């Protein structure tokens, strides 16, 4: 049985979020090597972003053809906020890459990843 499209979006967003966390953790341990750390993770991040966009494109196409799917209509506000935060992480990562030597852009990405972590923690605590 194929994975539901909404679960695929969450999975791909979460996988990318975890990769961003790894980058940040490695940079925190070795700040002098930040450029090399970004380079080491670049291909994987690009692949994960591509996978995320493929799923998001499927959802967009389906929505244009058939209207808003039930799983989006019935999603909790927390789940929608997490999906928005995954999108924001991608945008912040892109902004960072566009101006890689500006430390502010890395700090913005770190704040966004931390914000997503807090939302995921709240959702986990709500479920349990």
């Amino acid at each position: 049985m194929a994975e539901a499209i909404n679960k695929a979006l969450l999975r791909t967003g979460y996988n990318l979020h975890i990769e961003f966390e790894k980058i940040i953790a490695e940079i925190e341990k070795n700040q002098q090597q930040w450029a090399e750390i970004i380079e080491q993770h670049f291909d994987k991040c690009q692949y994960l972003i591509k996978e995320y966009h493929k799923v998001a494109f499927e959802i967009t196409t389906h929505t244009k053809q058939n209207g808003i799917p039930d799983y989006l209509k019935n999603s909790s506000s927390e789940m929608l906020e997490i999906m928005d935060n995954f999108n924001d992480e991608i945008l912040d990562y892109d902004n960072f890459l566009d101006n890689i030597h500006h430390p502010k852009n890395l700090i913005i990405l770190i704040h966004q990843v931390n914000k997503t972590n807090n939302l995921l923690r709240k959702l986990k605590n709500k479920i349990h």
Side-chain angles (χ1 to χ4, degrees):
M1 183 162 133
E3 179 179 37
I5 194 80
N6 59 329
K7 290 191 184 344
L9 186 66
L10 287 170
R11 178 187 44 77
T12 57
Y14 183 75
N15 289 343
L16 182 57
H17 170 77
I18 295 300
E19 192 64 21
F20 290 148
E21 278 191 318
K22 288 177 187 176
I23 292 170
I24 292 167
E26 288 179 31
I27 290 173
E28 286 174 347
K29 289 178 186 172
N30 189 356
Q31 294 178 9
Q32 299 300 321
Q33 300 294 316
W34 66 269
E36 290 83 358
I37 293 166
I38 296 296
E39 188 175 324
Q40 289 168 0
H41 290 268
F42 182 80
D43 288 338
K44 186 165 185 184
C45 285
Q46 293 306 107
Y47 169 78
L48 293 169
I49 290 169
K50 179 182 170 189
E51 290 300 303
Y52 184 84
H53 284 308
K54 276 201 286 188
V55 176
F57 180 74
E58 270 186 68
I59 291 171
T60 301
T61 302
H62 181 271
T63 300
K64 284 180 180 179
Q65 294 172 350
N66 305 310
I68 298 174
D70 287 339
Y71 62 83
L72 283 178
K73 287 180 192 174
N74 300 328
S75 290
S76 69
S77 60
E78 292 92 352
M79 291 301 269
L80 294 173
E81 189 174 3
I82 288 170
M83 286 187 224
D84 283 344
N85 276 270
F86 289 154
N87 286 325
D88 289 342
E89 286 181 357
I90 292 169
L91 294 173
D92 290 341
Y93 176 74
D94 287 343
N95 288 337
F96 170 65
L97 291 180
D98 286 345
N99 196 356
I100 201 161
H101 295 289
H102 198 303
K104 180 181 117 184
N105 292 327
L106 178 59
I107 292 167
I108 291 170
L109 175 61
I110 290 168
H111 285 298
Q112 187 59 50
V113 170
N114 288 338
K115 181 180 175 187
T116 303
N117 278 335
N118 288 334
L119 290 170
L120 289 167
R121 218 178 308 6
K122 284 180 189 175
L123 184 62
K124 181 181 176 186
N125 290 337
K126 187 177 181 179
I127 293 172
H128 289 81

